[in-house]
Amino acid sequence: MNQYVIKGGTPLVGEVEIGGAKNAALGILAGALLANETVEIENVPDLRDTNVMLDALRSIGAYVEKVDRHTVKVNGSTISTTLLDIDSIKKIRGSYYFAGALLGKYKNAEVALPGGCNIGSRPVDQHIKGFRALGAKVDIEHGCIVADAEKLKGSHIYLDVVSVGATINVMLASVMAEGQTYIENAAKEPHVVDVANFLNSMGASIKGAGTDVIRIRGVEKLHGCHYSIIPDQIEAGTFMLAAAVTKGDVLVKNIIPKHLESITSKLLEIGCEVEESDDAIRVVSSKPFRTTQVKTLPYPGFPTDMQPQIVVALGLAEGTSIVTESIFENRFKYVDELTRLGANIKVEGNTAVIEGVSRYTGANLTAPDLRAGAALVVAGLAANGFTSIDDIHYVERGYEDFPEKLRSLGADIEIVTDDKELQEFKLKAMNR
Ligand code: UD1
């Protein structure tokens, strides 16, 4: 029964290093199979999702070597099948990138449909639309995306919704197609740009990543490269919010401040001090929070993956705040858990109306998904007394060494496996 147990109320103080971006890593690890030479990737976060991607690569015959905890070598020349149906792959979202990459390289892919967090319906129609536009025949059969083409030909693809997954997947499928592909209404997230930069360093010709229109000139083949993944925007944002709600003072290091602008501006609005340098942000929080309005939007808007964390902060602001979720319709499930800590939040449709309270008090909680789970940890760190959080496997999908990093900032948090360990933690914490 692995649980986090937290004794809240300690301001987080110190410095924390942010790891590589999970969502970039998922696209990049799938993209690594496109070459028949060795690709060396650094700054790969050591997470369940990235390890599942590596297992998936091994299962189709690719050569995979973990050079150290955060560096892997992948060589796709030994791939022997385009059928990917291992059980673990169904549990992660990034599995769909294998459909794009295998189709792009072998003109054939049969990949189990993705799982991931249950935060709303997560269709793949835009991915399929893109593959079809490139000339593939695509069906859903027995829970798999089955895609097949004699040859892939560049095309104009207009995405009906701004989709990170579809943008990356169409890039993967089209880098070796004949001629030019245009992805219009493309997602502009930093990890989309990172995947494009990675593919370009393998010899692809992708221009415009980070804008609405991405242009891909197909090349005959890709080659090996060395690449280092960008820092994780959401891990960084989560630590910024943890500093804020615990009234702490934290230097979040190894980040790209530009990727965090929407979060920085909300922290300034609610009354935190935020200092930016080249590759770090310091968040100092000493005043009561002011209220604000937040609407989640595709990048450069406020990220949906930071929505639960900002709600935790606004739950402690003086007055009424409104948070609107415009990306996933089912992303307020954690609000009931926050209520157990004393938060006063009403959800109507895709809007949360938050009446700030003066404090949270510890309770037993369950993580409903990855980012909401992390937000509950942040709330527990601010709450008076003890908070325990079940189902932490969700959180472990996206945060490497989360309790360790928080402890290095002074937090009182541990993973316990049974009641005895829970009681021991409480006794120790009370005597500290
Ligand atoms: C990715 C991230 C996730 C993040 C999300 C939005 C990964 C593994 N996950 O998810 O953490 O919350 O971006 O930043 O990178 N949509 C369709 N049809 C499609 C694809 C998407 O209608 O074919 C809709 C979705 O339902 C959603 C919106 O488009 O409403 C955005 O989804 P998308 O950007 O594709 O999210 P994911 O790639 O699944």
Side-chain angles (χ1 to χ4, degrees):
M1 75 153 208
N2 277 13
Q3 274 188 332
Y4 290 133
V5 53
I6 301 166
K7 178 160 180 285
T10 311
L12 298 190
V13 177
E15 300 183 357
V16 64
E17 286 270 338
I18 298 306
K22 170 182 82 87
N23 289 344
L26 301 179
I28 286 173
L29 289 174
L33 69 75
L34 288 164
N36 281 334
E37 292 176 13
T38 300
V39 169
E40 184 163 338
I41 310 160
E42 290 170 20
N43 210 27
V44 180
D46 184 15
L47 299 167
R48 201 195 74 183
D49 282 20
T50 47
N51 288 317
V52 168
M53 294 296 281
L54 294 176
D55 284 344
L57 281 166
R58 288 187 192 100
S59 81
I60 54 173
Y63 171 80
V64 176
E65 179 191 335
K66 254 197 145 174
V67 179
D68 60 39
R69 189 173 181 201
H70 297 125
T71 308
V72 294
K73 282 184 184 173
V74 177
N75 188 317
S77 63
T78 49
I79 290 174
S80 52
T81 174
T82 54
L83 168 66
L84 179 51
D85 194 13
I86 56 172
D87 267 349
S88 53
I89 202 79
K90 295 175 194 153
K91 298 198 180 91
I92 72 164
R93 197 73 200 146
S95 55
Y96 48 37
Y97 293 139
F98 283 111
L102 289 169
L103 176 67
K105 187 176 181 189
Y106 300 104
K107 317 289 173 263
N108 178 269
E110 198 168 325
V111 178
L113 270 173
C117 280
N118 178 15
I119 51 178
S121 79
R122 299 180 79 170
V124 288
D125 57 304
Q126 298 303 306
H127 304 233
I128 292 175
K129 173 177 165 172
F131 297 160
R132 286 190 179 140
L134 296 171
K137 182 175 170 297
V138 189
D139 290 301
I140 305 290
E141 282 173 21
H142 312 294
C144 289
I145 302 183
V146 183
D148 203 38
E150 233 156 70
K151 64 174 182 187
L152 295 170
K153 260 191 105 181
S155 176
H156 277 260
I157 298 156
Y158 180 87
L159 298 179
D160 301 325
V161 288
V162 179
S163 160
V164 171
T167 303
I168 292 178
N169 229 345
V170 174
M171 285 197 304
L172 293 168
S174 61
V175 275
M176 290 195 278
E178 264 178 31
Q180 290 263 4
T181 297
Y182 296 82
I183 308 175
E184 292 177 43
N185 201 25
K188 296 182 278 204
E189 267 67 3
H191 36 288
V192 172
V193 179
D194 206 38
V195 176
N197 288 340
F198 165 71
L199 294 170
N200 283 342
S201 71
M202 293 171 81
S205 170
I206 303 176
K207 296 205 170 112
T211 74
D212 288 342
V213 184
I214 300 181
R215 305 182 307 279
I216 303 144
R217 190 174 49 76
V219 294
E220 236 166 66
K221 61 176 185 176
L222 298 182
H223 52 69
C225 72
H226 285 258
Y227 195 78
S228 183
I229 294 175
I230 53 163
D232 197 294
Q233 176 203 22
I234 307 300
E235 187 193 10
T238 303
F239 277 98
M240 289 166 73
L241 263 295
V245 297
T246 61
K247 298 287 173 240
D249 178 348
V250 174
L251 186 68
V252 183
K253 290 169 47 172
N254 184 33
I255 55 158
I256 300 174
K258 178 144 189 48
H259 296 167
L260 294 156
E261 273 171 356
S262 61
I263 299 158
T264 299
S265 82
K266 286 297 156 189
L267 287 179
L268 289 170
E269 269 175 54
I270 65 174
C272 297
E273 288 165 51
V274 185
E275 277 170 32
E276 282 183 14
S277 54
D278 282 353
D279 63 354
I281 288 185
R282 180 174 171 208
V283 177
V284 183
S285 169
S286 54
K287 300 188 203 110
F289 292 149
R290 294 189 289 266
T291 58
T292 189
Q293 321 257 328
V294 177
K295 184 173 184 186
T296 64
L297 288 168
Y299 189 82
F302 192 89
T304 174
D305 283 359
M306 285 299 300
Q307 179 260 98
Q309 299 89 317
I310 194 79
V311 167
V312 167
L314 296 177
L316 295 169
E318 292 182 335
T320 310
S321 302
I322 309 277
V323 172
T324 307
E325 172 57 55
S326 68
I327 312 287
F328 292 109
E329 75 274 17
N330 198 11
R331 223 172 178 174
F332 283 123
K333 279 186 303 177
Y334 65 92
V335 162
D336 288 345
E337 299 297 300
L338 267 191
T339 307
R340 296 161 69 82
L341 299 180
N344 182 359
I345 303 171
K346 285 200 182 60
V347 176
E348 277 170 32
N350 66 345
T351 302
V353 180
I354 305 156
E355 297 291 344
V357 295
S358 60
R359 62 182 191 140
Y360 294 142
T361 53
N364 300 334
L365 309 176
T366 302
D369 63 64
L370 163 56
R371 302 303 173 185
L376 295 181
V377 172
V378 170
L381 294 170
N384 286 355
F386 292 100
T387 295
S388 61
I389 302 173
D390 282 330
D391 281 353
I392 64 172
H393 57 94
Y394 285 118
V395 183
E396 289 170 341
R397 286 187 41 208
Y399 294 85
E400 183 182 306
D401 296 341
F402 200 31
E404 289 81 359
K405 288 186 181 182
L406 289 168
R407 275 203 296 275
S408 77
L409 298 172
D412 220 345
I413 177 170
E414 251 172 50
I415 295 179
V416 295
T417 53
D418 56 29
D419 263 347
K420 189 165 157 266
E421 285 183 12
L422 179 68
Q423 295 313 327
E424 278 170 11
F425 173 86
K426 286 188 173 176
L427 263 177
K428 266 196 284 170
M430 278 190 298
N431 293 327
R432 273 196 274 268

